[in-house]
Amino acid sequence: MSRSALALKEEGNRHFQVKDYAGAEALYSKAIVADPKNPKLYTNRAMARLNMSLWENVIADCQECLKLAPETMKAHYYISQAALNLHDFGFALEHAFTAHKLCVSAGDKDKSMAHVTAQVLKCKKEQWDDRERRRKRETTELESEVLSLMERERNEAVGDMMDVNDGSRHEIEADWQHKIDALRDVFEKARSGNEKRRKVPDWAVDDISFGFMVDPVVTKTGKSYERGSLMEHLRRHPTDPLTREPLYMSELRPNINLKDACKEFLDENGWAADW
Amino acid sequence: MTAQFAAKRLGKELQKINNSLPPGIELVSADNFEEWLLDIRVLDNNPLYRGHTYRLKFKFASSYPIEPPEVVFVKLADRLIPIHPHIYSNGIICLDLLSSQGWSPVQNVESVCMSLQSMLTGNTKDERPPGDEEFVRANRLRPKDIDFFYHDNNV
């Protein structure tokens, strides 16, 4: 890094630390002009812009960084956060997963695992919420559309009966009312079916963070934990949480079946992400 | 981990605790994610503790549950400090489970309460730890920083 770019970056960092994000952003921009080939400068500016809610700019900076250094975990993590704010859920999730994968391969060197895991869950949750909102709106629209069609039919049928005696007209009217009520009932049942008892199965919950598992790893005892939580524990005490016997990160194995089961459950029960 | 993870986990523990707690354990207050109060009593007829309820104070750091909570008995007009060879008369508890070394993040508020219940239930000695008076007078350390000698984990 050229000397002036380094000095500008460090000054930017100082502004960032006192939460002067606009000041930091301007300094990082100058640093980038001085040294446009340094990927770190782009993620620094992206971080400042994340705090300024400049989502599109965050993504542009991170993509610039990834061109120079494709394995930058932070760039994927920031893109995921910005994309989530732009409601681009699929994109946000994809980059959260990439960040997570990079965390895993960095092993103990990267301390962001817990945050990145939380980001994966957040993406899943917001994606689910969005789908639910849309589905509810569509159902409500469909319901009122079908109801008004039926009401129109009824009015026509009753209109045709104007000159017939009151008795059979009331019969036709009651008949239609019954159908309309039955239809409302069907929609109502569908709605409450979705709100039915929501329980997260214990097998999907990490005993350390109490969060829903995204990337379970199994220890010698056969018990699985969320990778990020267990790493956090092992960093301070290299012992098995259950037996307190020595346990090292290198001894952990991914629990692929459990991971798939968790994913499948979450795909169908997105609300569980934020249980 | 940061305070955000501690809060999330404690929020979930609280949800569970509000649903149900084992017999002899009651939540007194949990207004924030820093300090909770719980009452415990023994379930058998141990004459040392029968008929008494004891107040526990849990303090959580932002590193919880990677690091243990600080747990002490609190003395009030109607809550005494239980007599036990591992409980000092100022409420400080000498229990391996609550030390940095003995703690495991799969433990939780409920399991700590249950361990303390069984620690009382299993005790027959009507005595304080050796050197109680001196310890209570001289100790200025936080419970987790005290280097207890866990000479007898069976008591």
Side-chain angles (χ1 to χ4, degrees):
Chain A
M1 201 184 302
S2 74
R3 264 194 64 176
S4 68
L6 182 67
L8 287 162
K9 181 187 139 201
E10 276 171 0
E11 208 190 329
N13 291 350
R14 276 192 294 278
H15 283 259
F16 187 91
Q17 267 154 21
V18 296
K19 297 190 162 67
D20 172 18
Y21 303 118
E25 190 213 16
L27 284 155
Y28 294 140
S29 294
K30 282 186 194 164
I32 287 171
V33 172
D35 184 3
K37 291 281 166 229
N38 185 333
K40 254 199 139 106
L41 298 175
Y42 293 96
T43 43
N44 277 26
R45 190 168 68 179
M47 181 70 164
R49 288 174 162 179
L50 209 47
N51 283 287
M52 298 163 76
S53 307
L54 300 169
W55 315 124
E56 282 94 350
N57 295 322
V58 171
I59 294 175
D61 273 347
C62 291
Q63 281 168 339
E64 211 51 54
C65 164
L66 290 173
K67 273 186 218 161
L68 298 162
E71 304 277 85
T72 311
M73 189 283 290
K74 270 188 196 165
H76 292 286
Y77 180 45
Y78 297 159
I79 289 180
S80 177
Q81 291 177 58
L84 205 51
N85 280 291
L86 293 168
H87 299 271
D88 192 344
F89 305 106
F91 191 58
L93 192 57
E94 184 192 317
H95 282 277
F97 275 133
T98 312
H100 185 272
K101 211 167 67 195
L102 290 168
C103 272
V104 173
S105 55
D108 191 25
K109 291 191 292 297
D110 205 303
K111 303 209 161 50
S112 328
M113 179 68 101
H115 291 274
V116 174
T117 309
Q119 177 68 13
V120 170
L121 284 174
K122 201 172 165 197
C123 291
K124 289 233 170 196
K125 174 69 171 48
E126 295 203 9
Q127 191 176 36
W128 163 272
D129 284 347
D130 180 62
R131 267 208 302 259
E132 279 291 281
R133 264 195 305 273
R134 218 163 2 166
R135 199 186 51 76
K136 269 188 193 145
R137 203 174 48 230
E138 279 166 10
T139 316
T140 314
E141 278 168 15
L142 182 66
E143 184 184 3
S144 60
E145 203 173 310
V146 177
L147 279 175
S148 64
L149 281 175
M150 287 180 88
E151 273 161 15
R152 202 192 314 153
E153 282 286 314
R154 178 194 62 188
N155 293 344
E156 273 175 26
V158 174
D160 289 346
M161 303 285 287
M162 265 328 201
D163 33 357
V164 190
N165 67 48
D166 273 2
S168 39
R169 206 174 75 211
H170 282 147
E171 213 170 281
I172 300 268
E173 231 172 350
D175 207 23
W176 273 103
Q177 197 51 50
H178 180 72
K179 281 193 222 168
I180 289 172
D181 290 345
L183 182 80
R184 277 219 180 89
D185 205 38
V186 168
F187 273 98
E188 201 47 56
K189 278 203 183 104
R191 258 194 293 273
S192 53
N194 278 305
E195 312 284 312
K196 68 170 176 270
R197 207 167 49 99
R198 291 183 160 183
K199 197 182 172 317
V200 180
D202 282 344
W203 53 258
V205 175
D206 166 40
D207 279 350
I208 297 175
S209 64
F210 283 22
F212 197 93
M213 286 195 279
V214 170
D215 182 17
V217 289
V218 63
T219 71
K220 281 180 279 191
T221 62
K223 174 96 186 142
S224 295
Y225 305 88
E226 176 63 41
R227 188 190 292 268
S229 316
L230 188 58
M231 274 170 62
E232 202 73 41
H233 163 66
L234 294 180
R235 207 170 278 138
R236 301 204 200 186
H237 306 286
T239 56
D240 188 289
L242 278 186
T243 62
R244 297 193 205 159
E245 279 166 21
L247 178 69
Y248 299 98
M249 288 190 201
S250 55
E251 296 172 294
L252 304 179
R253 297 289 173 267
N255 187 338
I256 296 169
N257 289 358
L258 183 56
K259 183 178 179 174
D260 290 346
C262 287
K263 182 179 181 302
E264 197 177 310
F265 185 88
L266 205 53
D267 285 346
E268 279 164 29
N269 304 275
W271 48 267
D274 133 52
W275 173 78
Chain B
M1 293 210 190
T2 59
Q4 131 197 26
F5 293 104
K8 192 147 193 202
R9 150 119 181 200
L10 284 166
K12 284 172 184 172
E13 280 197 50
L14 192 56
Q15 247 179 46
K16 251 188 166 166
I17 285 176
N18 281 329
N19 273 335
S20 75
L21 269 174
I25 304 174
E26 262 173 63
L27 181 67
V28 177
S29 73
D31 303 328
N32 52 48
F33 295 138
E34 274 121 53
E35 189 178 302
W36 294 3
L37 297 174
L38 288 100
D39 273 348
I40 65 165
R41 55 192 168 76
V42 297
L43 298 170
D44 67 343
N45 282 323
N46 188 333
L48 289 172
Y49 311 113
R50 190 177 48 202
H52 288 284
T53 302
Y54 302 103
R55 173 69 45 91
L56 284 169
K57 183 166 79 181
F58 281 73
K59 283 179 127 178
F60 308 100
S62 61
S63 52
Y64 180 79
I66 301 300
E67 292 293 338
E70 181 183 305
V71 187
V72 294
F73 282 103
V74 184
K75 191 170 176 175
L76 300 166
D78 56 344
R79 299 279 186 269
L80 301 173
I81 308 290
I83 188 112
H84 188 286
H86 283 174
I87 301 170
Y88 290 93
S89 50
N90 58 3
I92 289 181
I93 307 162
C94 164
L95 178 65
D96 181 45
L97 173 70
L98 294 173
S99 72
S100 266
Q101 279 314 306
W103 172 255
S104 157
V106 297
Q107 300 289 348
N108 53 61
V109 172
E110 183 183 315
S111 70
V112 168
C113 287
M114 289 171 75
S115 296
L116 288 169
Q117 263 181 324
S118 73
M119 174 171 151
L120 296 183
T121 299
N123 176 47
T124 52
K125 293 185 186 155
D126 185 9
E127 55 191 51
R128 292 284 176 205
D132 178 54
E133 253 174 65
E134 170 61 18
F135 173 82
V136 169
R137 185 159 32 100
N139 180 57
R140 297 285 172 270
L141 293 171
R142 308 231 48 115
K144 74 173 165 69
D145 298 323
I146 303 168
D147 195 10
F148 288 120
F149 179 52
Y150 299 100
H151 50 287
D152 183 1
N153 280 318
N154 300 316
V155 178

